[in-house]
Amino acid sequence: MKIVVDSELLAEALEDASKAIASKNIMPILDCFLIEAGTEGVKVTGTDTRTTIQSYIFSEHVQVESPGQIALPKLSLEVIKKLNGDVSIEKKGNNAIIISRKKEIDMGVFDPEEFPRVPDIDDSELFETTGRELKRLFRKATYAADPTGKNAAILAGAHVYINDGVFGIEATDRHRLAKTEQHTEVGNLGGAVIEAKALGELQKIILDKDNLEFGFSKSSTGAVVHVFARTDRFTFYSRVLEGAFPDVSRMSIVPDGVTEVIVDKGEIMSCLDLVYTLAKEEKHNQIVISITENEVSIRGKGRESGKAIESIVPVSFKGENFAVALNSKYFIDAIKALEGDKVTLVFPGKLKPIYILDESDERSLHIVLPYRTEEV
């Protein structure tokens, strides 16, 4: 195999594919890119066996002097980034010769036949959207998943569903919940739980301007096996997580609150930023929020560095005076996911879930469970 391609184009393709490569791998071949050259151009693939990303450089942008395939170590990405202009990559025996201007690198390669196969998908069930809209939806919900899956493996994923003209995403780690929906012209495609980490990597390579196809690939029994997202630059594949996602439908209905307050998003974020600086020293990032008609007060303390308190004036207040202790990081994550300038906080009662709502999006909600403490 031998190709000649602009180093910047190759670096972009490698960078996109690298998002599917795990930081630690038992199998050396999974620390590699598979580069395939043919009449249509070049394909660059990275995988951790669950998630696969294949990026493309089309024939008009690359010179394929000899077709074939090669498995280059992940380190090749850093090498290519340091080169300028056209770069030549040629496989010679068990090595790859990389040449750019007066630079020449001799790099060991792996057997491409050992590289895992790209999933063979059925792409008959999909819908079209924009990169900007898909990133927006992912950003509103995936943060609430449990990336470790320690308590339950299924909670490491986000439940993505397309039913009755609704495209929805929900995620929870049992201490918080995030859910968002939007209207779609597509009917019933079903749903699946996708690893939240994989969706986070997908967000990194999607451009706002991308026209994107998103869909489910099913088995002969109708069960979703893979989720895929496809643009003219790449295809993303992820094998779905097995198991039943928790039923969060009852929590998705906002109850009447004992207390309901609206605050300015910028003001409360500024307030939280200060208090969190100390609160994050504690294991549970605990803060206490006290609410009256004239004041929303937030206080937190560090293990050794002291305590902080800051107050803001609510935009509106309804109900009773209220105080609650909660995880400041979870609270900040939820507010960051909102798009509007105002934040509505609904407190249904002592030790009940706190609802964090976006004035600009009635189809999204965020929930944080409070702490049991004698401080409130």
Side-chain angles (χ1 to χ4, degrees), residues 46-63:
T47 186
D48 64 1
T49 69
R50 176 174 292 280
T51 300
T52 300
I53 297 176
Q54 187 171 73
S55 52
Y56 312 116
I57 305 174
F58 293 108
S59 56
E60 59 264 33
H61 301 298
V62 60
Q63 181 181 342

Side-chain angles (χ1 to χ4, degrees), residues 50 153-154 193 239-244:
R50 176 174 292 280
I154 198 71
V193 182
R239 184 159 44 89
V240 304
L241 297 178
E242 297 180 0

